[in-house]
Amino acid sequence: MSKEMLSMRGIQKKFGNLEILKGIDLTVQEGDVLAIIGPSGSGKSTLLRCMNHLETIDHGQIKIIGETFADEKDNSGSVYVKPAVAKPLLAHMGMVFQHFNLFPHMTVLQNLIEAPVHVKKMNKAEAVELAEHLLEKVGLSDKRDSYPAKLSGGQQQRVAIARALAMQPDIMLFDEPTSALDPELTGEVLKTMRELALSHITMIIVTHEMNFAKEVASSVMFMAGGVVVEQGSPKEIFENPKQLRTQNFLNNML
């Protein structure tokens, strides 16, 4: 039986009076690749950021690998576990952002070993060995001593993926990882992500790349207006969407 990696129930989130998430439920099993699609402003990135506490939820429950991370308390709102409990739970997740977020004053190798050495207290030689292995995996071994400014956008994003993997997470979160890239650079990042999916790491991907979602995802979730309109296999969502809202979105995208 597969292991439940992430569970979210009744997730609500407001910014001021604006309700962004209106009661989202989702479950991700070990090895799943969940693609979250939908129009801009539908709450996709906010939902992703709620998974790893970059945003706090107002209501609902979050469990990470079966352990409670946030839970509803007397209908007065969600309460998070204490930082000492939260920290190891959050370590199960790695995040790749739209805009790379590499440290510009550090080489590629230094970017990769920084968190393993200082956060995980990994031996430096071990961290370097892991970093070199990951750079080989993303096809950038020859860039280990380069600075981010010397890399293309696609190369920077592949370094960002390797950096997230250096913390050896169980779940990888991707927030529109190709949206800041030129079309010709998008392919190299998607190729890296395809290879990752084949290694059976659990992945949750907010993306506008419909063909990629169709090919790589095990499950697709369509969001609009802060709710999950429809969820199913790529075949169900792309070839036989049940909801008119999904049909209209895909007609515009494909």
Side-chain angles (χ1 to χ4, degrees):
M1 196 170 122
S2 64
K3 184 167 153 191
E4 189 175 276
M5 303 300 279
L6 179 72
S7 157
M8 303 180 92
R9 293 285 171 266
I11 303 300
Q12 295 178 33
K13 171 69 182 171
K14 279 184 177 180
F15 290 119
N17 291 325
L18 190 62
E19 199 177 10
I20 304 294
L21 302 174
K22 303 173 183 176
I24 302 285
D25 294 340
L26 71 80
T27 303
V28 179
Q29 304 288 343
E30 189 171 26
D32 281 356
V33 177
L34 171 64
I36 304 175
I37 63 171
S40 296
S42 57
K44 306 182 302 295
S45 291
T46 300
L47 179 64
L48 200 75
R49 292 170 68 85
C50 287
M51 291 174 189
N52 65 354
H53 212 198
L54 291 176
E55 299 288 355
T56 55
I57 60 172
D58 299 321
H59 291 279
Q61 179 198 68
I62 302 173
K63 287 188 173 186
I64 301 170
I65 314 203
E67 300 290 325
T68 298
F69 176 55
D71 210 348
E72 193 77 22
K73 190 178 179 185
D74 309 328
N75 291 329
S76 59
S78 293
V79 177
Y80 286 83
V81 294
K82 291 184 169 63
V85 181
K87 197 174 171 184
L89 287 178
L90 292 171
H92 288 291
M93 286 191 264
M95 177 95 168
V96 177
F97 299 88
Q98 288 181 35
H99 295 288
F100 329 135
N101 291 7
L102 298 175
F103 299 119
H105 61 290
M106 293 182 179
T107 65
V108 164
L109 186 74
Q110 288 167 338
N111 263 281
L112 263 68
I113 68 171
E114 175 72 8
V117 169
H118 292 106
V119 178
K120 286 188 91 173
K121 308 300 179 195
M122 191 184 280
N123 171 286
K124 188 176 177 183
E126 195 184 334
V128 168
E129 188 181 340
L130 174 63
E132 287 177 335
H133 165 71
L134 291 169
L135 287 174
E136 188 180 343
K137 193 171 182 170
V138 300
L140 291 171
S141 294
D142 59 331
K143 302 295 183 187
R144 76 190 287 280
D145 298 318
S146 301
Y147 286 88
K150 298 289 185 188
L151 305 180
S152 72
Q155 289 170 333
Q156 288 188 59
Q157 192 60 295
R158 282 149 63 202
V159 171
I161 291 170
R163 183 178 65 174
L165 289 170
M167 288 296 281
Q168 299 173 304
D170 298 299
I171 307 165
M172 282 284 283
L173 309 178
F174 294 87
D175 187 11
E176 298 190 21
T178 59
S179 66
L181 300 177
D182 294 333
E184 69 267 26
L185 299 176
T186 294
E188 64 188 62
V189 174
L190 295 180
K191 179 174 180 282
T192 298
M193 290 171 66
R194 275 190 186 89
E195 287 163 2
L196 263 189
L198 291 173
S199 71
H200 302 297
I201 187 166
T202 306
M203 296 163 67
I204 303 171
I205 308 161
V206 170
T207 184
H208 287 296
E209 299 288 340
M210 295 301 122
N211 286 328
F212 174 76
K214 200 173 181 177
E215 288 169 36
V216 177
S218 54
S219 177
V220 178
M221 188 167 100
F222 172 63
M223 286 181 68
V227 301
V228 177
V229 176
E230 192 166 352
Q231 184 169 356
S233 69
K235 189 174 174 67
E236 288 166 337
I237 298 298
F238 290 107
E239 294 179 23
N240 190 28
K242 293 180 177 63
Q243 303 298 323
L244 183 62
R245 185 71 186 83
T246 316
Q247 293 165 17
N248 289 340
F249 173 77
L250 292 173
N251 286 339
N252 290 329
M253 293 296 288
L254 295 171

